[in-house]
Amino acid sequence: MAKVKSLLQITGSLDDLTFYTLNGQAVVRRKGGGFTSKGVKKGANYVRTRENASEFGHCSAFSKQLRVAVQPLLGPKAFDSMHQHLVKVLFAIKNLDTISARGKRHVGQGIQHPEAASLLHGFSFNPHCALDHVLKAPYSLTDSVFNISQFTPVEAFHFPKGATAVGLEFGACVFDFLKGEGRLGALSTAVLDQDGSEQDLELPATVPAGTGTLLYVLKIAFYQQAGGERYLFKNKEYGTVALLIA
């Protein structure tokens, strides 16, 4: 058993490693038996373990930086298990890096692979609510504008029981997957009453300056009307912040 002194913040299994917390400390154990920290650092039998741990730490760090970039949409209270959920996707993108050696594969190389966009498109930062669970209507994303045509809110969105309105926020984030840096542009917002009539929706995004991968971010949240005020509907299964790729 070894205590982890790095950026690793994951629980669960990866290849031959199991990550967990013991007495408040991050611990990593090899499946099928324990091992010493010295053996992990230098032993010839643990080359693959060291490679996995290095790449795991890299993806963990990039998970944090991407969440920082879109923090205005995530809000002060993060979805539970969000970090692990995002690391899993970034780890899959890192695996698309066919240039670097094992142990040094990089998300910034993997993101250039044609399959990377499909891994990110539709990704929900909320592990408990996929985008298509709350958004039922077809949408388009053209020239940095999110559009839903000829819809009624009650048919376009899956309202939880008790919710009376849905709120949307849409923006563009340019994220450099080589440096782990990104910025979010100005957001467009809309609030639609559940009993609203047929309409069209257009939410333009302001693309910030900078180099990197262009990611669009869509937030959907539900509200309940009470006493003349709208209150956020707090149910982790209804509400998402999702990435979209044009």
Side-chain angles (χ1 to χ4, degrees), residues 144-168:
S144 300
V145 177
F146 177 83
N147 176 274
I148 307 177
S149 299
Q150 297 180 334
F151 73 97
T152 57
V154 70
E155 293 179 347
F157 299 92
H158 185 191
F159 283 80
K161 184 178 181 180
T164 58
V166 59
L168 295 92

Side-chain angles (χ1 to χ4, degrees), residues 157-179:
F157 299 92
H158 185 191
F159 283 80
K161 184 178 181 180
T164 58
V166 59
L168 295 92
E169 295 182 68
F170 181 67
C173 174
V174 174
F175 192 82
D176 190 328
F177 281 95
L178 288 172
K179 297 179 181 179

Side-chain angles (χ1 to χ4, degrees), residues 31-55:
K31 294 179 181 178
F35 49 83
T36 66
S37 59
K38 182 178 180 180
V40 173
K41 292 178 181 179
K42 298 182 179 180
N45 293 335
Y46 299 107
V47 173
R48 181 60 59 86
T49 299
R50 292 193 293 272
E51 292 172 348
N52 287 338
S54 176
E55 293 180 349

